[in-house]
Amino acid sequence: MRHFGHPEGVAVGAHFRTRLDLLRAGVHGVLQAGISGSAADGADAIIYSDAYEDNVDLGHTIYYPGHGGRSRASGKQVAHQQLTAGTRALLTSLQTGLPVRVIRRVETDTGPQYRYDGLYRVTDLQETVGLSGYGILLFTFRQLPS
DNA sequence: TCCATGCGCGGCC
DNA sequence: GGCCGCGCAGTGG
């Protein structure tokens, strides 16, 4: 069974150098995708980075688009987002209310690193239009009290 | 710039 | 339900 909540032995604020390190520490389950989880159980973790142009980070609140519709070359949205597998995991999390671990990709003087920022909950989903004019599925994450 | 890599999903018994 | 293959993906060398 998938593990929700704080990973054992990992403190909030802990840094990791690579995605593989996150994987081994049990913080985030996949190497490349930002959303870790399944449509059935929901998402157990996400990685927030600047890869998607429609991200918004307010600290306690995050707006996080679902998967897809994005050009890997340019990083911009080039098509309407569909409700694909990774995105469906977030939808399940919205329904279950289970906590989602949030990891932020941050720049340090030794290069990019991943920082575990604790637990959030998916509180809303809105279908809207992103910066490039395509439909996106935008999830709202709110930080849980620590 | 390309592709390895790991995982979820869906198709198939 | 279990196995297998496909395709995806907020990497990374």
Side-chain angles (χ1 to χ4, degrees), chain A residues 74-138:
Chain A
S74 70
K76 294 184 183 307
Q77 297 302 116
V78 293
H80 299 302
Q81 282 189 343
Q82 312 291 130
L83 196 55
T84 54
T87 309
R88 258 162 38 222
L90 293 182
L91 182 60
T92 303
S93 290
L94 173 63
Q95 291 159 351
T96 64
L98 287 174
V100 183
R101 296 185 289 277
V102 169
I103 300 102
R104 281 185 178 83
R105 183 182 171 115
V106 294
E107 287 299 325
T108 72
D109 43 8
T110 58
Q113 285 203 306
Y114 296 95
R115 190 219 306 141
Y116 176 51
D117 278 338
L119 302 178
Y120 285 62
R121 201 153 59 85
V122 183
T123 59
D124 192 31
L125 163 62
Q126 51 191 127
E127 294 189 54
T128 182
V129 176
L131 286 176
S132 293
Y134 294 94
I136 59 169
L137 299 166
L138 197 61

